[in-house]
Every structure is written in C-alpha cells, then in structure tokens.
Amino acid sequence: MPRRRIGFWYRFAAVICKPPLVVLLKRDWRGMEHIPAEGGFITAVNHNSHVDPFAYAHFQYNTGRVPRFLAKSGLFKKGFVGAAMRGTGQIPVYRESTDALSAFRAAIDAVERGECVAFYPEGTLTRDPDGWPMTGKTGAARVALQTRCPVIPVAQWGVNELLPPYAKKPHLLPRKTSHVLAGPPVDLSRFYDQEMTAEVLKEATEVIMAAITRQLEEIRGEKAPETVYDPREVRIQQRRKARARTVRDSQGSGTGESGK
C-alpha cells in the first residue's frame, strides 16, 4: 500500500508549529529507520507532557510518514478546528459506539489505507511518580490484531522537563532536549490466530507497553520499576483506605460517646 501525500493542511500545521519547537527544544532523535517506508502501521507512544504530542509529531513528520492521531469525533464537525482536523487526516473515534471494535473502525480503515495511526496507549498523561509508562488501554492492540499491521514502539523524554505533567507554566531555561527513540516492530504474531478476548487484548497490550518501556530505559539509562503503575489499582487501594479510615473514625466516635 503506497503512502499518502502529506497534504496542504499538515504542511500548514508544520509551518506554524515547527519554529517554536526548534527554538525551545534541542533534539536527540533515533530509530527513524524503524518507521516503515510504505504501508499502514501503528506507532505506540508514551505520554508525559501536554506538549509531547507536538514534539513527537515533529519527529514523525521528519520521517516523511506523518502520524494520524485519534481524537473525539465531535472535534471534526465544524469551524476552523474541524476543518484542520479533517484536513490533516486525524482519526475520529466514535466513543458513543457500544461495539469496542466499531469505535476504532476509522483507525482500522486508516491503517488499511496505508496510514500511520498514532496511539497513546496510556490514554492520558502518566501518573507514575517517576514518569515511567503506566498500564495501557487495549485500543492499539485491537487495531493491531485486526489489521496485523506493524506496531512501532516510540519512547520520548525531555519535553516533560519543559512542561511537567499537570504543570501550568513551562520551564524554558535551560533549553531542554527532546529525546525520541523508535524501536523495531513489536512481535504480536502469537496473538493473530487467537480469539480477540479481553485476556488476549490485555496480554498484547502488555507486550506493547513493555516495548515502549524498554525504549525509555535506553533513553534514560536506567531500569524501570518491576511493577507497572496501574491507576485503576491505585484508585481501588485509595478507596479501600478511605473506607477503612471511615470505619475507624466511626468506631472511635462511638467509643467516645459511650464513655460520656
């Protein structure tokens, strides 16, 4: 499948976005040779700053294979933003769909047309205290197993030092470095002939996230924690602790009243 032309809107966005990125960030980009020259594929990228989609898009744009990001379908409907989203070929996700696979139908279609679809499998900025990738959601694995396309793990670091997660003000000086490292395709072939169950999708997602983490370990020159940060498990533990405190407080209150 041949690649699609970059097009006017993407070039227009690059003209606007690239100059400030060049001014604000030095670049340490590696692994461009792993980006397929032709055909549809997925990139799976870690997320640690509100600015890192722009830095990653800059890296990807320079490979000649521009990324198509997933976004809420409502953003495509009207106005300049809608025109820009449609013009740059971004991918609408129909979250109102009750069928998990149908919700990613547009992404599947884009891959089958020969596009690069970029996924942030964590679904949001990492909440890991040290910035390591969290557990991932299964969307990238669904599309990968449906299309059997290459999945390129991409790790990035440094933009989070320019704008840390959930920070409101950037740290402009000293000038930060955008480190981006793309790795070889993730081998998901053992899942291809299996039924796409929740367990299979979870395991395939874990393989993808492990590949991203290995790339980040290489950038940072250190090992990631053995236990992956799981925000769902953290919320469960927090609720359990809150309930336990409530029980202790109510017991203590009852004891105090009985002693009067």
Side-chain angles (χ1 to χ4, degrees):
M1 176 78 66
R3 67 172 69 177
R4 193 173 100 172
R5 294 191 308 114
I6 291 175
F8 164 79
W9 276 100
Y10 229 121
R11 293 188 188 279
F12 178 68
V15 168
I16 294 173
C17 296
K18 285 176 70 173
L21 291 170
V22 170
V23 170
L24 292 173
L25 294 165
K26 295 180 284 186
R27 288 174 287 173
D28 171 30
W29 291 351
R30 291 175 285 155
M32 286 186 175
E33 69 275 9
H34 296 303
I35 302 298
E38 304 290 344
F41 64 101
I42 286 171
T43 55
V45 192
N46 68 309
H47 194 17
N48 52 34
S49 172
H50 286 301
V51 180
D52 67 39
F54 297 97
Y56 159 68
H58 189 189
F59 165 86
Q60 188 75 35
Y61 182 91
N62 280 28
T63 71
R65 300 300 310 275
V66 295
R68 313 296 179 182
F69 292 95
L70 293 130
K72 292 184 293 185
S73 58
L75 294 173
F76 293 75
K77 292 182 179 178
K78 58 183 178 179
F80 177 81
V81 171
M85 296 293 284
R86 294 190 301 272
T88 53
Q90 306 314 310
I91 309 296
V93 176
Y94 300 95
R95 294 181 178 179
E96 63 272 16
S97 173
T98 57
D99 182 344
L101 195 58
S102 295
F104 292 99
R105 185 71 251 175
I108 293 169
D109 291 344
V111 169
E112 291 176 344
R113 289 196 308 270
E115 302 281 2
C116 165
V117 177
F119 276 87
Y120 284 88
E122 295 161 281
T124 186
L125 292 171
T126 182
R127 290 184 172 84
D128 181 271
D130 295 316
W132 293 102
M134 304 186 295
T135 54
K137 299 183 184 301
T138 60
R142 286 181 184 277
V143 176
L145 298 184
Q146 178 72 17
T147 62
R148 301 194 178 189
C149 69
V151 179
I152 309 301
V154 180
Q156 52 184 340
W157 188 256
V159 178
N160 55 300
E161 296 171 346
L162 172 67
L163 185 68
Y166 308 105
K168 295 181 178 179
K169 295 182 179 181
H171 302 160
L172 300 178
L173 296 174
R175 191 174 175 221
K176 309 303 187 290
T177 299
S178 169
H179 302 274
V180 184
L181 177 61
V186 181
D187 184 6
L188 298 177
S189 58
R190 68 180 181 273
F191 303 109
Y192 286 166
D193 295 324
Q194 298 185 41
E195 182 183 355
M196 205 182 299
T197 63
E199 187 58 36
V200 166
L201 289 169
K202 180 177 181 291
E203 187 176 348
T205 300
E206 288 172 351
V207 172
I208 293 170
M209 296 307 301
I212 298 171
T213 301
R214 285 194 296 272
Q215 299 302 116
L216 188 55
E217 287 177 333
E218 184 172 339
I219 290 174
R220 295 177 60 171
E222 57 183 308
K223 294 293 290 182
E226 290 187 8
T227 302
V228 178
Y229 186 93
D230 185 343
R232 180 176 176 274
E233 184 61 31
V234 170
R235 287 193 297 271
I236 291 172
Q237 294 299 329
Q238 288 172 341
R239 285 196 292 268
R240 286 175 178 169
K241 290 179 181 178
R243 285 196 295 269
R245 284 196 299 268
T246 300
V247 170
R248 287 198 302 270
D249 291 345
S250 63
Q251 290 174 342
S253 176
T255 302
E257 290 181 1
S258 63
K260 289 183 180 180

